[in-house]
Amino acid sequence: MPHRALILRIIPYSDSSRIVKCLVDGKGLQSFFIRTSKKTGAGGHIQTGRFIEYTTSEKSTGIRSIKESRQDSALGTNQLNPDSFGVMVILLWNY
């Protein structure tokens, strides 16, 4: 079952992987490991301010990885302006 999240921050981990901090629907702030392409601009929907749907896999070390992800289909191509993060977090937290 896919989960929904808002990407708040992307931290480079290596050339082909990132740590993604997200506000997850019903679970609050979560961090995930994700592999990305080494090609410039190939990240597509993995950008700060994007709403995504994703599935995870659990590693033996307890680190959750995003196995599959795509732009959240319920929201179309909407992207949140980074200046609006504070307001959005407060609204989602109180929801």
Side-chain angles (χ1 to χ4, degrees), residues 51-87:
F51 293 91
I52 62 169
E53 293 177 341
Y54 68 93
T55 56
T56 60
S57 63
E58 190 79 25
K59 300 284 185 182
S60 59
T61 59
I63 299 171
R64 288 174 298 171
S65 295
I66 293 180
K67 182 171 57 172
E68 295 178 6
S69 65
R70 64 182 175 274
Q71 191 166 333
D72 191 341
S73 59
L75 298 172
T77 59
N78 293 338
Q79 183 172 354
L80 183 63
N81 182 336
D83 295 336
S84 303
F85 280 175
V87 174

Side-chain angles (χ1 to χ4, degrees), residues 19-35:
I19 302 296
V20 182
K21 296 205 177 242
C22 301
L23 185 61
V24 178
D25 187 25
K27 296 183 181 181
L29 188 61
Q30 303 278 316
S31 296
F32 303 100
F33 178 84
I34 188 167
R35 293 223 179 260

